Structure formats: structure tokens, C-alpha cells
Amino acid sequence: MTGQPMVKAEGVHKSYGAAHILRGIDLEVRSGEVFCLVGPSGSGKSTFLRCINHLERIDGGRLSVDGQLVGYRQKGDKLYELKDSEVAAQRRDIGMVFQRFNLFPHMTALANVMEAPLQVKGESKAVARERAERLLDRVGLGDKMGNYPSQLSGGQQQRVAIARALAMEPKLMLFDEPTSALDPELVGDVLDVMRDLAESGMTMIVVTHEMGFAREVGDSLVFMDGGVVVESGHPREVLGNPQHDRTKAFLSKVL
Ligand SMILES: Nc1ncnc2c1ncn2[C@@H]1O[C@H](COP(=O)(O)OP(=O)(O)OP(=O)(O)O)[C@@H](O)[C@H]1O
Ligand SMILES: [Mg+2]
């Protein structure tokens, strides 16, 4: 893997009012890698993901995706905020899958996956449909395309959500605890879909408590606490031989 990183964070800060949440995040996600982000509740993992696709503005530092600053354009040594339409264009290249699936309840699985390409890209129905069918097949739901979300299990809904994100042909996928709301017996199917996606070369940032997945599929792992990166490295190294007390304490609870 060469070339510029897919995501580069340099001293990223974010506050909500007086609460200083991200306190100088430095990290790089290489193109094609599965980058796992772990840490205790409240450490800022979701906040950081939301900064990457500009659902939140950062207050300091620099954050870029595929060589482009998120939300800003640089001219000389000055930064200019992008217009809403330019921010939307940046966000289009980033797929996001949340803990809760947020499918449109009044639409079938197929229609959910077709919706963004139709509305956002102005794609033809035939093209959007063909891709949606292929993606639903890929996530193992070829026989459920006509089901509404209420007629699908949590794991099936989450796989529809992954297909829906992929329908925009993103260059980066963000997963925020995609399996933590699922019954244990449904977790495996979702992780299988993510493993398949990783093997296809997708760049993925995965916030997860599934340490088995991180160990097997992850290329890098970052342990975050209190809004900073405490420790990072290959998942097997960090999980097997943590260097910092905070990492050790966290892992003793989740492993
Ligand atoms: N919109 C907001 N307004 C104010 N505070 C917020 C907001 N979003 C998050 N926070 C605070 O920021 C801190 C970090 O939250 P965040 O959701 O990023 O943590 P997390 O690491 O994802 O935790 P979890 O593992 O529980 O999902 C928390 O203290 C939270 O209360
Ligand atoms: Mg979170």
C-alpha cells in the first residue's frame, strides 16, 4: 500500500461547549486497510467518525480524506470553508453504518438501497435497481429484497444498511459499533459481510468491541481514551501485548 493515506488526522480537537472531547487526535488510515478504533464509552470514538464525514466541525488541527481537507479548502496558508454543496459532495464518497440501522421504514430493502443513488446521484431506476439487487445478493439477502425493515431481523436490517451505504460506491466506509445492538446469534452474519468487504479492498474504519474481528481482520488498531490516542499498532500486538495501563485495564474488561 503506497501513496497518500485515505484519512489523515493531525492534532484534531473538538469541543461541545465547555466539554473538550477530542484533545489532539493524530492518526493515519492507509488506503485499503481495516482500521479498528476501540476505547471506553465517552472516549470520543463516535465524535471522531462524525468529524471525518463532517457531521461535526473540528475546532483545531487538520483532517483530510483522500488528500482533501474535510470541509475546507486551503489557499496559501489560509483555510476557506467549503459551501454546503461541496461538503455534501465530500460526504457522498464516505459510507457510514451506525449501531442503529436507520432504514426507511416505509420502503422495502430494495428501495432502501436504491434511494440514495436515485435521489442524490440522479441515477436511472434500472441502473440503481441492478446495483441494489447485486449488493443485496452480496450481503446474503437476495431472497428478502421485497421485505420491509419490520419484516427483517436486526442482523438482516444491518446488512441492508451496509448495502445501502455501498450503493453510493464510497471510497471509505465508517462503521460505528455495527453489531453492538444485535442479538449474539446475529452478529456473525454481519461480521462476515464486513470481512468480505475488507477482502475486496475497501478502506474501513471500524469502531467495535468485537476483538476477535479486530484481531482477524484488522490491519491496525488504535486505543483511544479521553479524546487522545493512547496506543496503536497491529491489532495482534496491541491486544496481545498492550503497553499502557489504560489499555490493559480496558482490555481486561472486554477480552
Ligand atoms: N452533540 C453533543 N453535544 C454535547 N456533548 C456530546 C455530543 N456528542 C457527544 N458528546 C459527548 O462527547 C463525549 C464523547 O462521546 P462519543 O459519542 O464520541 O463517545 P464514544 O467513544 O463513541 O462512546 P460510546 O462507546 O459510548 O459510543 C461524551 O462525553 C458525550 O457525552
Ligand atoms: Mg460511540
Side-chain angles (χ1 to χ4, degrees):
M1 277 174 268
T2 55
Q4 70 190 357
M6 179 58 79
V7 176
K8 184 167 183 166
E10 299 164 272
V12 168
H13 286 261
K14 172 73 193 170
S15 297
Y16 292 111
H20 194 174
I21 305 300
L22 301 181
R23 296 167 167 262
I25 299 281
D26 291 290
L27 56 80
E28 273 189 30
V29 180
R30 289 166 296 146
S31 194
E33 85 170 328
V34 176
F35 188 98
C36 298
L37 196 52
V38 306
S41 181
S43 57
K45 305 178 299 293
S46 298
T47 301
F48 182 63
L49 288 191
R50 291 168 59 78
C51 290
I52 293 175
N53 70 352
H54 208 271
L55 292 169
E56 300 289 352
R57 280 173 59 162
I58 66 174
D59 305 317
R62 291 166 67 91
L63 183 60
S64 60
V65 174
D66 204 16
Q68 282 192 308
L69 284 176
V70 176
Y72 297 90
R73 180 186 298 111
Q74 185 162 16
K75 259 192 187 167
D77 55 3
K78 274 201 155 175
L79 294 183
Y80 296 90
E81 255 185 88
L82 296 182
K83 289 185 276 193
D84 287 351
S85 61
E86 294 171 312
V87 170
Q90 282 189 337
R91 200 179 286 150
R92 218 173 285 165
D93 288 337
I94 303 173
M96 186 143 183
V97 176
F98 303 91
Q99 186 174 349
R100 291 265 156 220
F101 338 112
N102 306 314
L103 296 176
F104 302 117
H106 59 291
M107 290 184 187
T108 63
L110 186 69
N112 264 282
V113 180
M114 289 171 63
E115 183 65 6
L118 288 177
Q119 301 303 329
V120 180
K121 282 190 174 168
E123 218 165 55
S124 78
K125 256 197 167 150
V127 170
R129 186 184 184 98
E130 192 274 328
R131 187 193 304 98
E133 288 175 350
R134 185 162 40 78
L135 286 170
L136 285 167
D137 242 349
R138 182 173 170 191
V139 300
L141 295 173
D143 58 341
K144 305 277 186 200
M145 300 198 200
N147 287 36
Y148 288 87
S150 62
Q151 301 167 328
L152 295 168
S153 74
Q156 290 168 341
Q157 290 182 56
Q158 192 59 303
R159 286 182 279 150
V160 174
I162 294 172
R164 184 176 60 172
L166 292 175
M168 289 297 281
E169 305 187 308
K171 56 189 176 192
L172 169 66
M173 285 282 286
L174 310 177
F175 291 89
D176 195 352
E177 302 198 36
T179 60
S180 55
L182 299 177
D183 292 337
E185 71 271 24
L186 303 176
V187 167
D189 289 339
V190 173
L191 293 180
D192 284 346
V193 165
M194 292 171 62
R195 191 174 288 125
D196 168 69
L197 191 56
E199 280 164 12
S200 77
M202 177 64 76
T203 311
M204 298 162 58
I205 304 181
V206 184
V207 175
T208 186
H209 294 297
E210 295 289 336
M211 297 302 160
F213 175 85
R215 197 183 283 116
E216 285 164 40
V217 184
D219 298 297
S220 305
L221 183 141
V222 155
F223 171 69
M224 227 172 115
D225 194 11
V228 297
V229 171
V230 173
E231 182 162 356
S232 63
H234 192 278
R236 274 190 295 273
E237 277 167 32
V238 180
L239 298 177
N241 187 22
Q243 299 298 307
H244 292 263
D245 288 344
R246 279 196 279 176
T247 320
K248 288 175 193 168
F250 173 74
L251 292 178
S252 72
K253 281 183 220 145
V254 296
L255 281 179

